[in-house]
Structure formats: C-alpha cells, structure tokens
Amino acid sequence: MKSITVFTSNQPRHLSLLIELSKVYEHVFAIIECNTVKPGEVKDFFDKSDIMKIYFSHVMKSEKKIFGEISFLPKNVSPLILKMGDLNKINIDTLKPSLDSETFIVFGSSYIKGELIDILIEKKCFNIHMGVSPFYRGSSCNFWALYNNDYQYVGATIHLLSKGLDSGDILFHCLPSFEPNPFNYTMKSVKSAHLGLIKKLKDKTIFQSNSLAQNKKLEISYTRNSDFNDEVTSNFMNTKIDLKIFENKVKNRKLSEFINPFLY
C-alpha cells in the first residue's frame, strides 16, 4: 500500500499508531498537533492542579505500559508539526503533498473545519473516536463512561469523518476485554482501535464496509472539555470501583448494541 495521511497528536498512543501504519504503507504523512506530554502538571488542553497531576500520572503509566514512551518516527514518516488548534489556520497549500494519499485517518487532532474538512469528507476519511458512539460523544468519553459506571461502553468508534463532532456514519466499534485497572482498561480501548483499524486496512475490508448512521436517540452523554474538572476528577479518584460489577458489565456486554464489534 502506497501512502496514508494521518491527522493526529503527539502522545505515545498517537505516535504508536504512526509507527504501526509505517509498517503497512510505503509512506505516511503525519500532521501532528502538539500538546504537553505532562498533562495535569503543565496547563494546556487540561488544567494544571494537584488532582489532575495525580489522575494523569495514572493515565501516563498505563499509556507507557501499552504504547511505550514518546519516540522518534521511522524514516518513511513525513511529519508536519503544529501547535494544537493551528491546523485550521494554515494555508491549505501547505498540506498539498499529503492530500493525494490513498487513505486518510483522523485520530486526536483538533476540530477540523473549512476547506480541509470538505476535502477529507470527499476522500472518505476515517475518524478514530475514543468513545462508543452514539452512546458517548464529545470529550474524554471513556472517562465519563467509567464515571457513570457504564463500563460496557468504554471503547472506540471507527466512523467516517463528518462536519459534526463524532457524528459520522459508523463502520465498527472496538472494545477492550476486562482489565481490573480502569486506566489500563481505557488505554486498552485505544489499542483495540489501532489493531482493529490496521487489520481492516491491511485486508482492505474497511473499503468495502457498509456504514450505519448514528441513532441520536441512544445518546447517554455529550461532554465538553470544560466538564472534565477538578471536582469530577476528585470524585472519580476517591470512589472505589466495585470490581464484580465492573467485570460483569464488561464480560456480559450485549454485542448486538455495537456495530461489527472488534474485540481485544
């Protein structure tokens, strides 16, 4: 397979996807929007506070366990480095070399608008949404699924990119197997998305797959970044999870609720 263009970010999980795709495609164009690699400790997309620092120390520990550290990229990856949020401000001609790829993926970029979103929709770009749509949409969806004890709805959605946030037609869901550590469990959902998407890219079944419109009546939660604050983070960290309920909900998911589920 020749070339792929990925709009993503700079955390280990994002770089890991680029590395894995570099093994499948001859060339990877990577438009990387950067945030701090020390969330909670440095104010950026998330606030800086003692509780955020504690929370994200667990997140980073799980991310390191599953995806390793930040690293240099392979030689067949061409990166364009931007600050998070700058993607919509640059001239579209800057991206021109990357817009002739066979395949396009969005994973963790800023909200794409303008001429670029029209181009990507036309090219049937795939979006990795870390959350199970249409049940959980918006920001930090898997955190909110855990917070609401909806452990069965922790996962990822692979859908066609659209102008609405996380609202494109769904191709399939990716679901992690039970893991008693909630941080490892949510990070496994990212790994499930990587594995599921790459498998379907390699065997090319994703290009023949039918997509299904999202049923908005099934929505449980739509959250914004501002909803994820010190108070809810503290509540989460101070609430002990009932592991029996956790395990039961995950192991007894109604797979009929999910679209072409990929299990990891």
Side-chain angles (χ1 to χ4, degrees):
M1 301 173 80
K2 291 187 178 179
S3 65
I4 185 170
T5 296
V6 186
F7 295 84
T8 190
S9 191
N10 63 313
Q11 307 301 319
R13 59 190 180 274
H14 304 111
L15 302 180
S16 177
L17 178 63
L18 294 173
I19 292 168
E20 293 306 311
L21 288 170
S22 75
K23 300 173 185 177
V24 179
Y25 287 83
E26 293 177 23
H27 196 89
V28 179
F29 291 98
I31 294 85
I32 302 173
E33 293 184 276
C34 297
N35 284 314
T36 180
V37 294
K38 295 292 184 180
E41 186 175 336
V42 176
K43 182 176 175 58
D44 199 340
F45 187 75
F46 297 104
D47 287 338
K48 173 185 176 181
S49 68
D50 290 340
I51 190 62
M52 287 293 185
K53 183 176 179 180
I54 293 169
Y55 173 83
F56 280 106
S57 70
H58 291 284
V59 172
M60 290 185 289
K61 183 178 179 180
S62 293
E63 187 172 30
K64 180 179 178 180
K65 177 179 179 180
I66 295 174
F67 295 108
E69 298 275 11
I70 55 173
S71 63
F72 290 103
L73 294 168
K75 291 182 179 180
N76 64 329
V77 178
S78 296
L80 176 65
I81 310 299
L82 302 172
K83 188 180 187 303
M84 182 61 72
D86 280 354
L87 179 58
N88 293 312
K89 299 174 184 177
I90 63 173
N91 192 304
I92 196 72
D93 289 341
T94 303
L95 300 173
K96 192 172 182 179
S98 70
L99 297 180
D100 291 324
S101 291
E102 299 171 84
T103 311
F104 294 81
I105 293 173
V106 169
F107 173 47
S109 76
S110 60
Y111 185 59
I112 301 173
K113 301 181 290 186
E115 185 179 357
L116 181 57
I117 189 68
D118 292 330
I119 293 171
L120 294 179
I121 289 173
E122 183 180 355
K123 292 180 178 292
K124 298 188 182 301
C125 176
F126 305 121
N127 185 64
I128 301 176
H129 165 56
M130 290 315 308
V132 179
S133 291
F135 306 103
Y136 280 84
R137 295 175 53 231
S139 180
S140 302
C141 290
N142 284 331
F143 167 84
W144 289 105
L146 286 178
Y147 190 84
N148 294 335
N149 300 328
D150 281 335
Y151 310 114
Q152 71 276 25
Y153 293 133
V154 169
T157 307
I158 311 299
H159 65 84
L160 295 174
L161 189 67
S162 67
K163 291 187 177 182
L165 186 64
D166 310 327
S167 62
D169 291 358
I170 297 172
L171 293 161
F172 62 100
H173 287 119
C174 300
L175 305 170
S177 58
F178 174 70
E179 160 65 54
N181 180 316
F183 293 95
N184 290 346
Y185 177 61
T186 54
M187 202 57 68
K188 275 183 70 175
S189 71
V190 184
K191 186 70 172 181
S192 73
H194 291 190
L195 293 174
L197 180 57
I198 289 173
K199 177 181 182 298
K200 292 179 184 291
L201 288 171
K202 288 174 71 173
D203 64 22
K204 300 187 178 181
T205 56
I206 194 169
F207 302 106
Q208 286 82 45
S209 298
N210 293 322
S211 58
L212 188 66
Q214 298 197 33
N215 183 352
K216 293 183 179 180
K217 293 180 180 179
L218 297 177
E219 185 177 295
I220 296 171
S221 174
Y222 183 95
T223 47
R224 294 171 174 79
N225 186 51
S226 58
D227 298 321
F228 184 72
N229 55 36
D230 281 5
E231 181 181 357
V232 297
T233 306
S234 181
N235 288 342
F236 177 78
M237 295 299 294
N238 291 322
T239 300
K240 186 175 181 180
I241 291 177
D242 188 319
L243 288 179
K244 287 185 178 179
I245 294 175
F246 183 7
E247 183 174 14
N248 182 61
K249 285 193 173 186
V250 173
K251 291 187 174 180
N252 293 289
R253 291 186 185 103
K254 294 180 182 179
L255 292 182
S256 60
E257 290 187 285
F258 306 96
I259 297 170
N260 302 319
F262 175 86
L263 305 178
Y264 168 62

